[in-house]
Amino acid sequence: MSGSSRKPLVWLPACHRNLDLDDPGGYTVLADRYAAAVTELGLQPVLFPMAGAEDIACLLPLVDGVLLTGSPSNVEASRFGGTALPTDLLDPRRDQLTMHLVRAALVGGVPLFGVCRGLQEINVALGGTLHQALHHEPGMMDHREPESADLAVQFAEQHEVLLEPGSAFAQWAGSTRAMVNSLHGQGIKRLGEGLAAEARAPDGLVEGVRVMGAPAFAYGVQWHPEWRHREHPFYDRMLEAFASACREHRAARDSSAGSLREPALRREPGVP
């Protein structure tokens, strides 16, 4: 298979759950909709279930993008100077990986896209903080989904976001306003270093960011664009932009690999 025909690889860091009390080892978990969206974009999702921060240096060069997915779990409050709430579902193994992976992807020029928890991971990894329960904050909306409703209702568009004029978000939406879904209890309180707020909810909550000066695609959103993205042009365009960046990264990797092999192809006849 030629380099140009190989699918770009996108690393989806997994979550970790104790789903079976009889199995203390736990489970590696990834919601199908993220992997399905990546596949629909012509990319190949990959998981490294037991990867830790010490493995990033050898694994990141193998992929062409990083998609930080949403999750029922929250980033540990101790990572941004807070105290965990009694109701928090935590995933310290994921935190330990993603806090380092965010910075490594940015330094390495690997396309990075954070969704929901993924946006919060980017923010915390870059020194930002989070509201732990938006619905208890004065003046803030309740951004949570109706738990008893079916998925179609939970992922339906819930509120408007105001998009920075001239931003990539405004280009993807074709407007400075767009409707998005809303399924989160936490949210950005203080922006991390180098982040530009380019989408806000009506209550002022930052819901879309760009990493300023990043050498490749580096964005995060609080909503879930992976949900039926082909039915939502705004969602689809941002995901396609991420996919294009991953394809560009793949092409650059293939070109670099070809350059390393080139001297061997130029040997004189008869020379071993």
Side-chain angles (χ1 to χ4, degrees):
M1 182 181 292
S2 67
S4 61
S5 63
R6 289 197 292 266
K7 290 183 178 181
L9 305 179
V10 178
W11 184 353
L12 280 69
C15 297
H16 307 281
R17 298 277 191 281
N18 290 319
L19 302 178
D20 186 347
L21 295 179
D22 295 327
D23 182 359
Y27 289 77
T28 297
V29 180
L30 173 73
D32 278 352
R33 65 179 182 273
Y34 298 105
V38 167
T39 302
E40 289 164 5
L41 293 166
L43 313 173
Q44 177 60 52
V46 295
L47 279 73
F48 303 110
M50 302 305 291
E54 68 279 5
D55 301 307
I56 292 173
C58 64
L59 295 177
L60 191 60
L62 304 178
V63 305
D64 305 294
V66 173
L67 175 61
L68 302 172
T69 68
S71 171
S73 67
N74 292 326
V75 177
E76 280 195 289
S78 61
R79 293 189 176 272
F80 51 89
T83 302
L85 301 176
T87 55
D88 275 353
L89 174 63
L90 303 176
D91 190 344
R93 279 178 59 189
R94 172 163 166 164
D95 290 345
Q96 192 270 344
L97 171 66
T98 57
M99 293 298 108
H100 294 86
L101 183 56
V102 166
R103 289 188 173 274
L106 293 173
V107 170
V110 178
L112 174 69
F113 192 29
V115 171
C116 200
R117 187 196 211 270
L119 165 70
Q120 297 165 13
E121 288 171 329
I122 292 173
N123 191 60
V124 174
L126 297 181
T129 63
L130 302 175
H131 292 292
Q132 292 178 257
L134 287 166
H135 45 287
H136 291 155
E137 296 291 335
M140 303 300 284
M141 300 162 48
D142 188 342
H143 288 257
R144 296 172 297 176
E145 73 278 15
E147 289 188 6
S148 59
D150 62 28
L151 287 179
V153 174
Q154 289 183 345
F155 282 88
E157 295 171 339
Q158 297 292 336
H159 66 73
E160 190 176 56
V161 284
L162 307 179
L163 310 175
E164 190 68 22
S167 66
F169 288 99
Q171 293 175 25
W172 296 328
S175 173
T176 56
R177 297 172 179 267
M179 292 295 295
V180 297
N181 52 41
S182 186
L183 300 93
H184 59 103
Q186 292 193 319
I188 291 177
K189 183 176 183 180
R190 186 186 72 242
L191 273 175
E193 183 180 356
L195 293 180
E198 298 198 338
R200 293 181 183 271
D203 59 5
L205 180 71
V206 175
E207 295 225 343
V209 303
R210 170 178 58 89
V211 182
M212 295 183 289
F217 184 105
Y219 290 85
V221 297
Q222 188 60 77
W223 59 90
H224 287 265
E226 82 285 353
W227 176 258
R228 298 181 178 176
H229 61 100
R230 296 302 191 196
E231 301 174 14
H232 301 273
F234 178 42
Y235 298 174
D236 198 46
R237 290 184 191 122
M238 70 179 65
L239 288 172
E240 286 288 358
F242 172 64
S244 293
C246 293
R247 284 190 282 270
E248 290 174 6
H249 190 273
R250 180 72 202 211
R253 281 208 299 135
D254 288 340
S255 177
S256 177
S259 297
L260 292 174
R261 291 192 298 266
E262 192 173 354
L265 299 178
R266 291 181 174 178
R267 292 173 183 151
E268 295 295 329
V271 177

